[in-house]
Amino acid sequence: MGLVQLTGYSLLVVLAGFFQQWPLLAVNGIRANFVMVLLIALAFIPDKFYEYLWFVVLGLFILKFQSGFDGALLGVGLITIAAFWLGREMPWHWIVNNTALVVAGTLVVYILAKPSFILSNWLVVLGEIIYNVIIGTLLFFALASDERRSKF
């Protein structure tokens, strides 16, 4: 990956962090996890893990400015790092792999942040899963080349 691509994708990660905080993009109070779905879509692009790890660290930094443990942030970090390998190893077509990783990522974030929220507000969680899958699919289509898509 060249410097221009690395810079461009890095700017997209920063932009996703701003979109995630922008209240106008909330649908009925549900906000997509733009950073997580972008990082999952980006997991299919670089061949070298250290290039992808840069995007993950940048995304997590954008999401968390203060110190302290954050279960949701841990979930985003774990699922996005796992996505680099799982997306390539999962046996399905790339779109199914991307969708499965976004669904799993959304659930992992809720499980690590506040598991009881899933049971008490399952419609909100389902709404966020659907929103994240839509955004994640659109981002993957926008980012991936035809050559990359054919590999998965």
Side-chain angles (χ1 to χ4, degrees), residues 5-146:
Q5 284 180 311
L6 191 66
T7 303
Y9 291 140
S10 296
L11 290 174
L12 281 176
V13 172
V14 171
L15 190 61
F18 290 122
F19 280 162
Q20 190 161 324
Q21 303 304 321
W22 199 13
L24 293 176
L25 294 176
V27 176
N28 289 334
I30 298 172
R31 291 186 183 188
N33 194 333
F34 283 97
V35 172
M36 182 190 71
V37 297
L38 175 63
L39 291 173
I40 289 172
L42 282 173
F44 292 89
I45 295 173
D47 291 325
K48 297 177 179 82
F49 178 70
Y50 66 85
E51 293 171 341
Y52 179 67
L53 186 60
W54 161 249
F55 301 134
V56 173
V57 169
L58 180 62
L60 296 177
F61 179 75
I62 296 293
L63 293 176
K64 180 78 171 178
F65 286 114
Q66 63 266 22
S67 63
F69 177 76
D70 186 351
L73 194 65
L74 176 65
V76 170
L78 290 174
I79 196 68
T80 55
I81 288 173
F84 183 81
W85 288 288
L86 291 175
R88 290 163 164 74
E89 298 298 324
M90 293 167 75
W92 309 298
H93 191 265
W94 67 266
I95 191 67
V96 177
N97 294 350
N98 186 59
T99 302
L101 289 167
V102 169
V103 170
T106 305
L107 290 173
V108 166
V109 166
Y110 277 111
I111 289 168
L112 291 175
K114 190 171 184 184
S116 62
F117 187 82
I118 296 172
L119 295 175
S120 62
N121 296 298
W122 64 273
L123 282 175
V124 172
V125 175
L126 181 62
E128 185 174 339
I129 288 171
I130 292 168
Y131 195 6
N132 285 345
V133 166
I134 291 168
I135 298 298
T137 303
L138 292 173
L139 285 170
F140 191 91
F141 272 121
L143 295 174
S145 67
D146 290 335

